[in-house]
Amino acid sequence: MHLSENCDYEIEPGHFCDKPATWLALSGEAPESWADQGAGNASVASFCSYFHAKAEPRPNLAAAKRAAAVIAEQLAGGYDYGIPAVWQRLIDAYPKPVPYTD
């Protein structure tokens, strides 16, 4: 998992905000693109503001927990995807974004 230092909000296709990040949130695909009966995908995204974090599609909680479990399994296998505690903190705060801290 990579935690971006810049805002991941896509203002228009291919053009991202890219301002310094101050919020982290669980991010998802738009519900209309969910192929697996609404399961969706989940990832962690960085945002410059609460408004950009709220504008991002929200994954459902089950998708977020599945993604966190996959990352935990990969970490156990020696892959370096970042900090599982970040996922847990966001899952615990779901659906609210949380302030970005180092």
Side-chain angles (χ1 to χ4, degrees), residues 26-75:
L26 287 167
S27 178
E29 295 175 333
E32 56 270 17
S33 68
W34 293 352
D36 185 17
Q37 298 179 349
N41 291 319
S43 62
V44 171
S46 305
F47 300 100
C48 68
S49 68
Y50 179 71
F51 300 105
H52 277 182
K54 279 190 63 160
E56 189 75 357
R58 206 185 294 162
N60 62 39
L61 188 55
K65 287 180 177 178
R66 280 195 308 275
V70 167
I71 288 171
E73 186 177 301
Q74 291 172 336
L75 283 167

